[in-house]
Each structure stands twice: as structure tokens, then as C-alpha cells.
Amino acid sequence: MFKISFIVFCLLAAQMCCKVQGGFRQRVREALRDHEERLDRLDEVVFGSGTANVTMKIENDQDPTWTTLVYYVSVPAGHSVFQMMVTAYDEYTDFTFLATYYPQWAGHFINSIVGVAGNTTEQTYWSFENGNGTPFDRGVDLIGVFNGDVIVFRFTTWGTHP
């Protein structure tokens, strides 16, 4: 009886290992596909093959009457968000912005967009995020844009946006 129980236990353990290993294999395959997509995007940047057609949106959480502004900008893939803003400034007469360069951070701080400026007294500033609402973890000079990207600039307060 012990031998049969031991054999059944071993068979069940082997079956569980196969299931776990199968899930692991699936996760590895998904990770490899993700890395392959990232390498394709990097290839575009390194070899300059490709244009990034980017949608740039300007939103204002502080003004309930504000209508979202939308600009379509084409730059070489991998150019920074700041370079995209400069291109938009050159192409659209109604798009303006002011920025301050900080060498210690090797980047620009966006002071104002379309005449709307941040204010320390009112604790307002321009944040920016991807099209899914996820704020970027670096500044406008350190984020590259790629074809199909959506960049949202949001005028908000320190208390209402991370």
C-alpha cells in the first residue's frame, strides 16, 4: 500500500512540476517577445530609420472650461519630448511654451505652455504623462518619443497629481 501511495505521490508531483514549468515557459516566451519589440524600437533610434508621429495633448485640471488642445507632431524616432515641443512650436502658431534649463539635472523645466504658467503660491505646475495617464519618471529631455506615442501635458497642482 505504501509503494502505491508513494508512486501516486510521485506522479502527482511530476504533473505539478510540468504545470509550473509550462507557466514558466509561457512567461519566458512573453518576456522574449517584449524584449524583441523593445529591440526593434531601439534599432529605429540607433539607425535613424523611422519617424515618430506623436499626438501631443495639452490639458488643464485647474480650469473646468478648458478644452483639450491637440497637436500632431512628426520628429525622428527617439527624439526627446523637449525636441518634439520645439518642433511643435515651429509648426503651430498657437503652440507656445517657456522652459528653464537646469544643468545640474541636464534638462529643462517647463514653466508655461500656451501662456499658462505654474505658480509656487498656488502650487501649480505642468506635469506630463503617456496616453494611458502614467506620469513619466524623468524630465522632458530624457524621454524619447516613438511612432504612435501620445504625450499629455497636464496643468495641475502638487496636491492633486503625483
Side-chain angles (χ1 to χ4, degrees), residues 99-111:
T100 303
Y101 182 74
Y102 290 93
Q104 66 269 34
W105 296 312
H108 291 86
F109 177 80
I110 304 302
N111 302 101

Side-chain angles (χ1 to χ4, degrees), residues 105-125:
W105 296 312
H108 291 86
F109 177 80
I110 304 302
N111 302 101
S112 71
I113 299 177
V114 295
V116 179
N119 181 308
T120 54
T121 304
E122 296 174 8
Q123 297 183 334
T124 54
Y125 73 108

Side-chain angles (χ1 to χ4, degrees), residues 51-73:
T51 299
N53 296 307
V54 181
T55 302
M56 180 174 62
K57 296 182 179 183
I58 313 300
E59 299 182 356
N60 186 338
D61 289 352
Q62 304 307 299
D63 182 354
T65 64
W66 182 275
T67 301
T68 299
L69 304 173
V70 180
Y71 301 93
Y72 301 98
V73 186

Side-chain angles (χ1 to χ4, degrees), residues 61-62 156-162:
D61 289 352
Q62 304 307 299
T156 189
T157 66
W158 299 328
T160 61
H161 200 73

Side-chain angles (χ1 to χ4, degrees), residues 6 25 28 44 64 76 78 96 111 114 128 132:
F6 183 72
R25 285 183 182 157
V28 168
E44 287 180 10
T96 60
N111 302 101
V114 295
F128 77 114
N132 297 322

